[in-house]
Amino acid sequence: MRVPVEFYIAKKYLLAKRKQTFISIISFISVAGVTVGVMALIIVLAVMSGFERELKERILGATAHAHVTSIQGSIPQPFEVAEKIRKVEGVVAASPYIFTQMMISSGSGAFGGVLRGVDIATIGEVTRLPRDVRVGRLSDLRRKTGESLPGVILGRELAANLGVGPGEVVEVLVPGGSVTPLGAFPRTARFRVVGMSESGMYEYDATFAYVAFEEASQLLGLEGRATGVEVKVRDIYAAADVVGRLRATLGYPYWAKDWMQSNRNLFSALKLEKVVMFIILVLIVMVAAFNIISTLIMVVMEKTKDIAILMTLGATRKTIRRIFALEGLIIGVAGTGSGTAMGALLCHLLRRYQFIHLPSDVYYISTLPVSLELGTMLIVVASSILICFLATVYPARQASRVDPAEAIRYE
């Protein structure tokens, strides 16, 4: 395989000689700078992609892909509405639910939270709640014959805050009670803890309490009605189209909203943060590119006589530009390649061994997630090589402007 003469000369200039050791050291520093920049870019973007993916999976596991509600506040005959929703194209399953704010208390204290009344028969079709129940079973929410108190499943963090476990009793207060001359009194009910759930999302585990749909309906005075219907779609990224068909099918007074609309602010913030981090970390590669510029300028100064001789032997100015452009690209490609390899290796180690742990109450998740995407790697590699190439433009142009006669006049 024939190697272009420009590449051969560029490689020769990068090799250490007795009087060029300093230039070779600067070249090594330039390669190391590009390596660190590319490695940092790949790792940070992989972690942010992993965080976004993990957060998306946790949210979609704990809640449905879409929600159907009514602008009138509640949905009459929710099971008939759910059956109608199941027939819409793109819908996999539907389950009525009741949702309300609550105050829950035990002998250890009281905390605010969310009471969710779920249909035990269908909730597993739209969310992973049955799998998230770590203690007890979802079917334990049904009131058994002879039992005076209905069951409740608490989020693990909420149960820990209340200091209760299975078999203990909690009291729930919800808005919408009776009004007396002494003021409004909230509705209250006592439940027996029959299990605990853990979704992996601290905000959910610290606030959610699940009861049977019928018990929540009776507590809130919503007999025969529901807050809304949870919907699972076939393709989560086509949820917006399914929501449009739901609105057209159900009509007034129903309203449908998909998971992207419900969490728009969160995912928009993550996307913006990812772009900003990419721009900031590209500056590391740009710093390395300045090292490439300084290296090439020193090589041009060192090799002025060689350039003059090459031009005397017939090398064109275009050939001279190619030599120094290739010299900078060799540095850039070497740094980009090594940085990509090291970044991919560290991402693999982080994903496999999960040796970095996070406080789950701050970051929603307990370990550092990593998702190394091929598209992200290609963008990083292309950006790095482009920056390194642009760093060669000025030195290569200056090298091609050397006057051979002036350079060798006194030799």
Side-chain angles (χ1 to χ4, degrees):
M1 183 177 178
R2 298 180 60 184
V3 178
V5 65
E6 293 94 339
F7 180 81
Y8 174 79
I9 296 173
K11 186 176 70 171
K12 184 177 178 64
Y13 283 171
L14 285 175
L15 296 177
K17 295 295 183 66
R18 283 193 299 270
K19 298 194 303 181
Q20 299 169 353
T21 304
F22 181 71
I23 294 176
S24 297
I25 292 174
I26 297 298
S27 300
F28 175 78
I29 293 174
S30 301
V31 172
V34 175
T35 299
V36 171
V38 171
M39 181 179 66
L41 261 173
I42 287 177
I43 293 174
V44 170
L45 293 180
V47 169
M48 297 191 71
S49 296
F51 184 81
E52 183 178 0
R53 184 199 64 186
E54 191 75 17
L55 191 58
K56 189 181 298 181
E57 290 179 355
R58 297 288 178 90
I59 290 175
L60 293 180
T63 62
H65 300 160
H67 293 265
V68 174
T69 56
S70 172
I71 61 176
Q72 294 179 345
S74 62
I75 296 178
Q77 299 179 331
F79 291 94
E80 287 77 1
V81 174
E83 187 61 34
K84 189 176 182 179
I85 289 172
R86 292 187 188 101
K87 297 178 182 178
V88 175
E89 182 184 355
V91 174
V92 175
S95 177
Y97 70 94
I98 292 176
F99 180 98
T100 185
Q101 299 293 323
M102 67 165 183
M103 177 68 72
I104 185 168
S105 61
S106 68
S108 301
F111 294 89
V114 173
L115 183 71
R116 288 182 63 89
V118 299
D119 179 36
I120 299 172
T122 58
I123 186 63
E125 299 174 1
V126 295
T127 70
R128 65 181 188 193
L129 177 60
R131 287 177 292 167
D132 289 342
V133 177
R134 300 291 189 259
V135 178
R137 295 172 301 176
L138 193 63
S139 58
D140 294 335
L141 292 178
R142 294 190 178 95
R143 191 187 306 211
K144 296 180 175 58
T145 305
E147 290 186 351
S148 59
L149 296 179
V152 61
I153 293 177
L154 303 177
R156 184 176 292 276
E157 295 295 331
L158 179 58
N161 292 336
L162 291 170
V164 296
E168 299 188 60
V169 176
V170 294
E171 186 172 11
V172 173
L173 289 81
V174 296
S178 58
V179 179
T180 69
L182 298 178
F185 284 85
R187 298 176 183 267
T188 63
R190 301 176 73 209
F191 292 87
R192 186 176 302 279
V193 179
V194 295
M196 287 181 284
S197 67
E198 185 176 13
S199 66
M201 293 280 290
Y202 178 82
E203 292 296 320
Y204 292 167
D205 294 338
T207 56
F208 278 20
Y210 302 92
V211 299
F213 182 87
E214 297 77 14
E215 299 295 341
S217 177
Q218 182 179 353
L219 175 60
L220 294 171
L222 292 176
E223 286 80 359
R225 305 174 72 87
T227 303
V229 178
E230 295 180 301
V231 181
K232 182 179 181 180
V233 302
R234 185 169 290 106
D235 182 3
I236 61 172
Y237 297 104
D241 297 332
V242 177
V243 162
R245 289 192 287 269
L246 287 172
R247 293 172 184 169
T249 301
L250 298 175
Y252 180 86
Y254 297 103
W255 180 254
K257 185 165 63 173
D258 64 89
W259 64 274
M260 288 182 282
Q261 290 176 306
S262 300
N263 301 280
R264 179 181 301 170
N265 293 339
L266 176 60
F267 289 112
S268 296
L270 287 174
K271 185 175 293 185
L272 177 61
E273 186 177 356
K274 191 174 180 180
V275 172
V276 171
M277 289 302 296
F278 177 81
I279 294 173
I280 292 173
L281 291 171
V282 162
L283 295 178
I284 299 177
V285 181
M286 293 183 68
V287 170
F290 280 107
N291 287 335
I292 294 175
I293 294 174
S294 62
T295 300
L296 294 182
I297 289 175
M298 285 189 290
V299 172
V300 170
M301 296 172 62
E302 177 73 21
K303 299 296 183 180
T304 300
K305 301 182 185 66
D306 290 10
I307 295 169
I309 293 172
L310 287 171
M311 296 179 73
T312 302
L313 293 174
T316 63
R317 297 187 183 277
K318 187 177 181 180
T319 300
I320 300 300
R321 286 197 297 270
R322 285 179 180 172
I323 290 173
F324 287 93
L326 282 171
E327 188 173 348
L329 278 177
I330 290 172
I331 296 174
V333 170
T336 301
S338 58
T340 302
M342 293 177 65
L345 176 62
L346 285 174
C347 287
H348 172 72
L349 295 175
L350 283 170
R351 183 171 57 244
R352 180 168 183 177
Y353 297 105
Q354 298 182 344
F355 48 82
I356 297 180
H357 298 276
L358 304 174
S360 59
D361 57 337
V362 177
Y363 296 102
Y364 298 97
I365 50 182
S366 58
T367 59
L368 193 67
V370 177
S371 176
L372 188 57
E373 300 171 354
L374 179 60
T376 300
M377 289 183 62
L378 292 177
I379 291 174
V380 171
V381 169
S383 302
S384 176
I385 293 177
L386 177 61
I387 291 172
C388 294
F389 172 74
L390 294 176
T392 68
V393 172
Y394 175 75
R397 187 178 179 184
Q398 292 301 109
S400 67
R401 289 184 173 184
V402 170
D403 184 356
E406 189 69 27
I408 63 175
R409 174 179 296 179
Y410 299 107
E411 292 299 318

